[in-house]
Structure formats: C-alpha cells, structure tokens
Amino acid sequence: MSEPEPRTGGPEHRSVGVRSVTETVRYAREEMGPVRGLRTLLALNQVDGFDCPSCAWADPPPGERKRAEFCENGAKAVAWEATRRRVDRAFFAAHSVAELRGHDGHWLESQGRLAEPMHLAPGATHYAPIPWDEAFALAASRLRAMDDPDRAVFYTSGRTSNEAAFVYQLLARRLGTNNLPDCSNMCHESSGAALGETLGVGKGEVTLEDITDHAALIMVVGQNPGTRHPRMLTALEQAKHRGAKVVAVNPLPEAGFGRFRNPQSLRGLAGPGTPLTDRHLPIRVNGDLALFAGLNRVLLEAEDAAPGSVLDHDFIDRYCEGFEEAAAGWRALDWARIQELSGLSRRTIEYTAADVMNADSVIVCWAMGLTQHRNAVPTIREIVNFLLLRGNIGRPGAGPAPIRGHSNVQGDRTVGIWEKMPDAFLDRLRDEFGFEPPRAHGLDTVDSIRAMRDGKVDVFFALGGNFAAATPDTAVTEAALASCALTVHVATKLNRSHLCHGAEALLLPCLGRTERDVRDGVDQFVTVEDSMATVQASRGRLLPGSPELRSEVAIVTGLGQQLFGDALGWSEMGRDYSVIRRHIEHVVPGFHAFEARAAQPGGFMLPRGPHDSRTFPTASGRARFTVNPVSAAEAPEGRLLLTTVRSHDQFNTTVYGLDDRYRGVRGGRRVVFVSGEDLRELGLHDGQLVDLVSEYPDGERRAPGFRATRYPTPRGCAAAYFPEANVLVPLDSTAETSNTPNTKSVVIRLEPATGPATAG
Ligand SMILES: Nc1nc2c(c(=O)[nH]1)N[C@H]1C(S)=C(S)[C@@H](COP(=O)(O)OP(=O)(O)OC[C@H]3O[C@@H](n4cnc5c(=O)[nH]c(N)nc54)[C@H](O)[C@@H]3O)O[C@H]1N2
Ligand SMILES: Nc1nc2c(c(=O)[nH]1)N[C@H]1C(S)=C(S)[C@@H](COP(=O)(O)OP(=O)(O)OC[C@H]3O[C@@H](n4cnc5c(=O)[nH]c(N)nc54)[C@H](O)[C@@H]3O)O[C@H]1N2
Ligand code: SF4
Ligand SMILES: [Mo]
C-alpha cells in the first residue's frame, strides 16, 4: 500500500477560532447527516445527555454549561462513533483477514461501525457471523478449559463505563485472576504511583474551579491541551482574564500555548484571541526532573536568604515528613548538570521560580510528556516536593493535576480495574459477593505481552481499545497475541488488534456512548468519572447502529451468566444497571447513595483526603518529601531523543484524518520533527525521506520512510506520531515502578531512506 505524502509548513500560533467551528460542522454532517448530527451534538456534555467519549476533561457546573458544551475533537469523536457506515457480514465475506491486515488503522476504522458478532474459526481466512449465545458459549468453554485462571488476560480501555468495568473485574476475579491490565498502564500509571506513594491517593487533587477561579499560577507541563483537552483552553482563558499566570513546559511550541480564539464568544471568533501563556520553557525531552529539582533548589536558597518568606513551614511541620533529606539533596545539586539535562539556563529557571514565589497558589497540570519516561515516577514525585514546599495542596487554587486521557479511565480504576487492587477492596468484594477473590497481583500491560510471548496465556479478552497498536514493540506484541488460543474483542470499530488474532477469535460489537441503551424495555444510564473526580450519569440518545449491538454491560454479564450460572446475579445486573450501582456503593468508598447522587444534575465529587482536608492516607499519615536524584535520558553523539505525540486529527490509535493543522502538517503522518541545526549537522535537508532507527542493547528497530521536517524544538530532540513510531520502542524499555513503556524518550538515529515510503 503506498503511503500518503505529507506536506509540512511549521507550527500555528493560534488555536480554535472559526476554522475549528467549520471543521466541527463538516465532520458532523459527513458522518452523521445534518439533522441527526446537530441533534446529537447538542446533547453532548449536557446534564441530561451523554458524556463526551473523547477525553476526561471536566464539565462546568450544570448552571454554567453552554448550549454547545463541546470542542472540535469531542465532536469528531461523536461523529466517528455515530457514523452511518457499517461493517457487517457482507464486508467480512468480501475481505479476508490477510487482506485487511494490509490496510492502515485509518482505513479500517473508516469502514464504519461493527454491526454483528463475528467469529474467526481455527484456520479460517474470513470472519463469519455467529449468534450471541454461541459466542458466549464458545468464550466460556475456552475459559473453562484453562488449567489455571491466570492463563486468561482481561484488558480494558478507558472508554468503558463504571458499571461495565465493575462487572468486568468481578468476572475476572470470580474466575480467579487479577490479570486486569488497562490502557492506564501506558498512560497515567506513573502519576498514580508517584501520587499514591507521596500523598496517599493516586489521583489529582484539584477541581475545575481551582483552575478557573483561584489559581495564581498554572503550570502546564508535558501536555498539549489545545488538541488533547481543548475545553481546558476555555478554563485557562477564564484564569487569564482574572489575572492568573500560565507557564508551559514543552519541547514543542504547541498552538494551544499561543492565542486562543474562544468559539463560544463572538470576540473569540472574530478577534485576535487571548494569549494563554506568559512563559514557554522549551525543555529538552525528559528534562523535567532536572527543571523541578532546580526550581526547588532556588526556592530553598531564597528561603535561606530571607527565612520565613518562601517556604510554608507551618504546613511542612504539621503535615509532611522527609523535608530535611530532600533539602540536603537540593543543596548538593550541580547547576551545570541541571542546565545540561533540562536544556534550560539557570536564569530561565530562576525567573520561573520568581513566578512561583509571587503566586500564592500554584497548580501543576501534566499529561503524557511526563509519564512515559524511565524516570517518570521520580519526576512526578519531584513535582509533589515542589508543591509541598509552599503548601500548595489542600487549599483553593493549588495542587497536582494529572489530566487524564480517556473519558473514564479514572473511573475504571476507581471501581476495580487494576492488576493490584488493595486488599481492602478485595475484602469488600468478598463480603459483597461471597467468594474469595485472588490476592496475588496480576499482569499489567507490558507483563501481559511478555506472558503471551512466552506461551503462558490461552485467552486474551479486550473490553475496547487497540492493544496491538497502542503497545510498544509492535512485532513482538502482534506475535504475542497470535500465540493465544482465543482472542476476544468487544469493540465499536474494526482495528488492527482484531486482525492480530489468536488461533480462534471473536469480535463482539457493542453500543457506544452516544446510543440508547434499553434493557427489558427500560432506558439505562451509565456513569463516568472525569479528571477532577466528578462522577456523573451519561445517557445515549441515538438509536443503536444495528439491532445486533449489545451494551458492554450486557456482554460482560452475558458471559458471566454463561460461565457461572446465576449465583452472583449476573442476569439481574445485566437487566438493571442500578443493581450494579448498589454493589459499587457497597464495595467502593465514596459512593454512598450512588443511585440518587448519580441522578443529580452534574453528579457528585468523590472524596479525596489531600484535597478536601489535608488528610494524607500514607503509612505515616503524612505527605512525604522524597529524594529524587536528577537524571534524564541521553542520546549519544549523532543520535536524537525521540518523543511520540498525537496529531490534531486522531484519538490515540483512531486516526480521523491525515492532517495535523496546528503543526502545519497536511495529508500524511510519517513525519519526524527535528531542529534546523540538527538537520544541518546530520547532513539532512528539510523534507528528506529518512528511516528512524532505534538503538538498544537488544538490537535495532526500524520505522521506514519518514519526512524529516524542520521544526522549532531543542537540539538533540525529535518528535513523531504515535502509533507509527511504536515499532521503535522495546518491550523492556519501561518506567521504574510504574512499568509504563518509555514511549516519550526513544534513542534514535536518522538514516536517509533506502526504499520507497511504505505503510508501517
Ligand atoms: N484529540 C485527542 N484528545 C486526546 C487524545 C488523543 O489522542 N486525541 N488522547 C487522550 C489520552 S488517552 C491521553 S493520555 C491524553 C494525552 O494528552 P497529551 O499528553 O497532551 O498528549 P500527547 O500528544 O501524548 O502530548 C504530550 C505533550 O507533551 C510534550 N512532551 C513530549 N515529551 C516531553 C517531555 O519530555 N517533557 C515535556 N515537558 N513535554 C514533553 C509533547 O510535545 C506534547 O505536547 O489526551 C487525551 N485526549
Ligand atoms: N508511542 C506511544 N504509544 C502510546 C501512547 C503514546 O503517547 N505514545 N499513549 C498511550 C496511552 S496514553 C493510551 S491511553 C493508550 C491507548 O490505548 P487503547 O485504549 O487500547 O487504544 P484506543 O486507540 O484508545 O482504542 C481505540 C479502539 O477502541 C474501540 N472503541 C471505541 N469506543 C469504544 C467503546 O465505547 N466501547 C468499546 N468496547 N470499544 C470502543 C474502537 O474499536 C477503537 O478502534 O495508548 C498508549 N500508547
Ligand atoms: S474537552 Fe475533551 S471531554 Fe470536552 S468536549 Fe473536548 S474532547 Fe470532549
Ligand atoms: Mo491515555
């Protein structure tokens, strides 16, 4: 298959505006039709409508929601799901699996919604239809045939509702395994690990209001809100209008840091827009630990010079431990090393520290630019140190804010999707359902791939997602999936993972967030939790894309019923989701009166000790300062440190289109962004076709045929798109503690391309 040729033109300095509105309208009309499109979008993020299936940004309180409370990317996600195109038995009869494997992810998903359950028999070349009850019987018989429940793996992607996630973890644990890897293992696992260890809660500690109404300084680190969480720009604009400062820390000058033209206001559409950032620190890839250690050092020195004026000693003495050891570490820091690793001058770091000292409340927001590196957990612990020093936690306008990715990835974890849920949760699950859940920790995403590779897994089951494309070391992962006896995917659209099947495979089509979910004649709703720990109801509006579709809850409880009979009440839970919510209320802390509070407009906020009352549920009951030796990934001479990012026209492995408007890329995705100086030094010219070759002790990996593109990024750094670059990342290159793949710091060299551009 020949690869589309990208055209490149450099970064955009303004975001949203009229262009964004026209794009939204075009998308909705093309995929959904004019009337259905408009009606659907007007229900998006409304209190009686459905939650945006795209990112996990929080909604304003009910009274403050606009008539159109969504962004261009939310609209794309909805249109993509609500498309009128269908992938049915005729489609699968016309295309063999081998043929489909020759198409890229964009083409596969563009074919439309999966319309009926399909089965790939052992040795078959084509998927063929299978009735639902036979599909359940088949999956159950393969699960029963295993001689050890740990030979099954149950993966979850973060679009799954609380209700579906809860019954799913129940099914896995009733079977006897904690093998519940999820996309979070590749996403904010590092944040959860660092925050859990230091503050006792692995979640963010701010609310939307803290950003819009209270924070004096907001740092946006390793995050691209203009594309990933676009309504965050509206929140930042509100903060700017009341005088807050915004500092962006990012190797790329993302468009969202420039002028924001708010599509909700006429002034925004027509005028020059609001400049959103006061300072952009063009940090070297993975230089963030050095930066925050340097900032902490400056704060400490300023305190030494004027005791009592910089640090919040009351807070530190009353609530924290470990300050002296951490302070000794900062005093011993070497400025030359900090400057080298961060790529920022001491003076820049000192100016930024002055912003911090002038701000009586500071929020640090971050996303994947921090979490997907070897030292991600120490980096985020250092950010906690930074916040603790001035008591920037548990008061208005202050705290850590990991901005979550998938719309319900945080909720899935809350209700039990984790390979190492704590014993207290498992005890309550036992008491609620009367069986003993397994206690040994299960496999996370990377360990699941290793286990499959080593022949230790019979059944791989995925509730959503695109495991083969989202994970690293693509060739290894695809072979690992192929080694299973059975692979099962519950999905809305066809993707690569469905074509990297085991000896036998099932493809089970489910309802999406936009669709009405009627069980036994009664409309059901589900609940989701956003980045700010608000839980609210989501009710689909559209008629299901096909009469054969079932909800994720119905699919999981249907399989549960088939496997275990009705002892735990599977069919009742599948008929009436309020029964599941009652179980969640009993098992998960913070969900009292769940049914009633879920029905309230705007939902309710889950308790978080550090945010609510400066209560830190760590072993000692205190927030912990930690010592984090400064480190960063380093590329040897002639090599670059590659970070992998998303384009404006994609949601993870779902590629809506081939443009990345804000970075000036049109019509293709095989692009590598490199500074002009590096291009010159490497003897390459702008636009030249190159191969990306990663270098690790276990060998080289190659991603062929990328356009080298001159771009304003620090020397020694490069960026390319996920998932095209995933072939370059070794399975064993993961973050300390969190085991998250190091997809944001890959050591590569660029080689003039040997062959023609090829599909990856
Ligand atoms: N439209 C859209 N929205 C999405 C998604 C999507 O694919 N498309 N995905 C969703 C998901 S699951 C997630 S997790 C989030 C992801 O949200 P983001 O993390 O914002 O998305 P990425 O594209 O991974 O961008 C990482 C950002 O970090 C910067 N960066 C890279 N390396 C470093 C580094 O070493 N240090 C610093 N300081 N910055 C660095 C990159 O330049 C980029 O701006 O978005 C969610 N929302
Ligand atoms: N190199 C590199 N790799 C990365 C990242 C990176 O930044 N760089 N980011 C990582 C991150 S942050 C994440 S979160 C993962 C994402 O990993 P995943 O969550 O596994 O992948 P997605 O692309 O979000 O999954 C898309 C598929 O989900 C299915 N789907 C969509 N909606 C629904 C639904 O409502 N129900 C069901 N059952 N299925 C549905 C569709 O079939 C679609 O093809 O990728 C990770 N991989
Ligand atoms: S900001 Fe995120 S949740 Fe909100 S409409 Fe946009 S994509 Fe959806
Ligand atoms: Mo994510």
Side-chain angles (χ1 to χ4, degrees):
M1 211 120 319
S2 80
E3 180 67 17
E5 272 301 303
R7 296 182 304 282
T8 56
E12 177 67 70
H13 302 290
R14 295 190 293 189
S15 63
V16 194
V18 173
R19 183 68 199 283
S20 170
V21 176
T22 52
E23 281 286 293
T24 304
V25 172
R26 183 177 66 83
Y27 244 89
R29 198 181 46 228
E30 280 176 13
E31 296 287 335
M32 301 188 278
V35 177
R36 185 159 159 271
L38 185 67
R39 255 212 336 255
T40 309
L41 289 179
L42 290 178
L44 179 51
N45 292 327
Q46 300 300 333
V47 289
D48 58 347
F50 60 92
D51 184 67
C52 177
S54 194
C55 83
W57 186 247
D59 296 313
E64 292 172 28
R65 295 192 195 179
K66 306 271 189 329
R67 186 82 180 99
E69 190 61 57
F70 57 86
C71 71
E72 177 188 338
N73 277 315
K76 279 185 200 163
V78 166
W80 198 247
E81 178 176 299
T83 178
R84 290 174 293 188
R85 287 186 271 272
R86 296 292 172 263
V87 168
D88 53 13
R89 62 180 69 193
F91 174 90
F92 283 110
H95 303 281
S96 70
V97 172
E99 182 208 326
L100 292 172
R101 278 175 66 98
H103 289 284
D104 64 20
H106 173 59
W107 187 91
L108 291 174
E109 287 210 27
S110 299
Q111 303 314 302
R113 285 287 295 278
L114 293 167
E116 55 186 321
M118 302 301 293
H119 174 222
L120 186 70
T125 53
H126 291 67
Y127 271 102
I130 182 173
W132 276 105
D133 50 354
E134 283 177 33
F136 289 144
L138 193 148
S141 80
R142 297 294 181 275
L143 287 167
R144 263 195 232 103
M146 300 180 312
D147 53 22
D148 177 349
D150 285 331
R151 295 189 64 85
V153 163
F154 294 91
Y155 175 71
T156 316
S157 169
R159 209 168 264 189
T160 294
S161 65
N162 288 333
E163 287 74 4
F166 185 80
V167 289
Y168 190 55
Q169 63 81 35
L170 180 66
L171 183 140
R173 295 195 162 107
R174 174 65 187 78
L175 189 72
T177 183
N178 281 313
N179 288 347
L180 284 157
D182 67 348
C183 65
S184 196
N185 296 145
M186 299 179 267
C187 186
H188 268 297
E189 194 70 55
S190 305
S191 308
L195 295 172
E197 195 183 331
T198 53
L199 302 177
V201 179
K203 294 184 183 182
E205 298 293 345
V206 306
T207 63
L208 184 54
E209 250 193 357
D210 284 320
I211 293 179
T212 53
D213 295 7
H214 302 297
L217 174 68
I218 300 159
M219 299 184 72
V220 181
V221 189
Q223 193 206 343
N224 179 14
T227 288
R228 309 304 168 243
H229 306 92
R231 282 187 308 154
M232 180 170 168
L233 300 186
T234 313
L236 292 177
E237 184 189 42
Q238 279 174 265
K240 290 290 306 172
H241 281 167
R242 64 171 173 75
K245 279 200 164 184
V246 176
V247 171
V249 181
N250 200 306
L252 302 179
E254 305 287 28
F257 305 151
R259 287 182 173 273
F260 170 54
R261 290 174 297 171
N262 189 343
Q264 303 279 13
S265 75
L266 204 59
R267 194 184 45 179
L269 281 177
T274 310
L276 287 188
T277 32
D278 300 271
R279 198 185 285 285
H280 170 216
L281 308 185
I283 197 160
R284 197 180 150 277
V285 166
N286 196 213
D288 305 86
L289 174 51
L291 165 65
F292 278 92
L295 287 171
N296 291 340
R297 155 84 172 246
V298 180
L299 296 179
L300 196 66
E301 282 175 347
E303 172 72 16
D304 289 345
S309 68
V310 177
L311 304 190
D312 185 343
H313 287 291
D314 287 348
F315 175 80
I316 294 172
D317 295 345
R318 185 152 168 216
Y319 294 106
C320 305
E321 63 183 12
F323 169 73
E324 289 305 335
E325 294 87 328
W330 296 319
R331 289 207 166 86
L333 285 175
D334 168 14
W335 270 113
R337 190 80 181 130
I338 291 179
Q339 296 185 105
E340 182 193 357
L341 295 185
S342 67
L344 302 170
S345 69
R346 178 173 178 173
R347 171 176 274 226
T348 300
I349 297 175
E350 285 170 346
Y351 278 133
T352 310
D355 292 341
V356 175
M357 288 185 270
N358 286 331
D360 57 16
S361 53
V362 179
I363 288 175
V364 183
C365 303
W366 71 88
M368 297 304 100
L370 292 193
T371 61
Q372 299 171 331
H373 300 282
R374 168 162 291 287
N375 62 0
V377 176
T379 300
I380 297 163
R381 283 198 305 242
E382 194 65 17
I383 290 179
V384 171
N385 285 340
F386 168 76
L387 292 167
L388 292 178
L389 281 175
R390 287 174 49 83
N392 273 314
I393 184 153
R395 59 187 177 80
I403 306 298
R404 306 299 304 247
H406 269 293
S407 56
N408 195 41
V409 63
Q410 185 158 315
D412 291 345
R413 193 50 74 81
T414 302
V415 303
I417 302 294
W418 197 19
E419 70 282 357
K420 42 187 186 216
M421 279 310 271
D423 277 329
F425 175 91
L426 299 174
D427 290 346
R428 289 189 297 269
L429 196 67
R430 174 198 58 208
D431 297 345
E432 180 72 2
F433 290 98
F435 73 94
E436 189 56 54
R439 301 286 166 153
H441 288 174
L443 300 170
D444 64 11
T445 292
V446 165
D447 286 337
S448 294
I449 299 170
R450 291 186 177 126
M452 285 189 264
R453 176 196 62 192
D454 299 341
K456 294 179 181 158
V457 176
D458 297 324
V459 178
F460 174 85
F461 196 111
L463 193 56
N466 188 355
F467 193 86
T471 50
D473 231 349
T474 314
V476 175
T477 302
E478 293 192 352
L481 284 167
S483 77
C484 297
L486 175 70
T487 46
V488 185
H489 285 92
V490 177
T492 51
K493 290 218 166 168
L494 188 62
N495 68 39
R496 180 84 189 164
S497 300
H498 311 152
L499 309 171
C500 301
H501 51 83
E504 192 169 12
L506 285 169
L507 197 43
L508 307 178
C510 65
L511 293 175
R513 197 67 73 66
T514 53
E515 288 161 319
R516 270 184 76 180
D517 184 356
V518 182
R519 304 290 293 161
D520 262 7
V522 179
D523 267 299
Q524 305 292 321
F525 69 87
V526 293
T527 58
V528 292
E529 175 185 343
D530 65 30
S531 287
M532 315 297 187
T534 296
V535 177
Q536 52 180 323
S538 176
R539 297 175 178 83
R541 291 291 188 86
L542 295 176
L543 280 180
S546 136
E548 281 292 314
L549 301 187
R550 296 208 180 165
S551 72
E552 290 183 342
V553 170
I555 293 170
V556 175
T557 54
L559 179 59
Q561 166 86 18
Q562 183 70 234
L563 265 174
F564 312 114
D566 218 22
L568 302 187
W570 296 102
S571 57
E572 200 196 1
M573 291 189 284
R575 279 196 308 270
D576 176 359
Y577 302 175
S578 70
V579 176
I580 305 174
R581 284 188 285 275
R582 205 165 61 230
H583 288 306
I584 293 177
E585 177 171 338
H586 298 159
V587 175
V588 188
F591 281 86
H592 62 90
F594 187 12
E595 191 67 17
R597 291 196 298 156
Q600 284 168 189
F604 62 95
M605 198 169 283
L606 288 171
R608 289 164 293 170
H611 167 269
D612 305 344
S613 57
R614 291 189 158 177
T615 307
F616 299 97
T618 55
S620 62
R622 284 171 172 267
R624 294 181 52 205
F625 278 99
T626 50
V627 177
N628 306 297
V630 169
S631 66
E634 290 177 88
E637 194 57 29
R639 307 296 186 264
L640 302 171
L641 213 48
L642 175 82
T643 189
T644 60
V645 296
R646 294 151 167 83
S647 80
H648 191 62
D649 254 5
Q650 81 183 84
F651 187 88
N652 297 341
T653 67
T654 294
V655 175
Y656 304 124
L658 300 177
D659 294 346
D660 191 3
R661 190 167 88 231
Y662 292 157
R663 298 199 187 103
V665 178
R666 304 250 182 276
R669 294 175 44 88
R670 294 183 86 83
V671 170
V672 59
F673 301 105
V674 187
S675 73
E677 296 90 325
D678 278 326
L679 280 182
R680 242 191 332 275
E681 197 158 285
L682 294 169
L684 300 167
H685 60 82
D686 187 30
Q688 188 169 342
L689 204 57
V690 295
D691 291 352
L692 315 186
V693 185
S694 69
E695 301 178 339
Y696 284 88
D698 70 342
E700 294 189 351
R701 290 167 178 77
R702 183 177 296 261
F706 283 67
R707 289 281 160 204
T709 301
R710 187 189 318 120
Y711 207 79
T713 190
R715 291 291 307 267
C717 300
Y721 296 122
F722 143 59
E724 284 79 355
N726 287 35
V727 293
L728 297 169
V729 186
L731 189 61
D732 292 333
S733 173
T734 62
E736 296 159 21
T737 313
S738 66
N739 209 22
T740 294
N742 294 338
T743 43
K744 290 274 195 285
S745 39
V746 188
V747 176
I748 57 160
R749 65 171 191 270
L750 303 183
E751 274 185 9
T754 41
T758 49

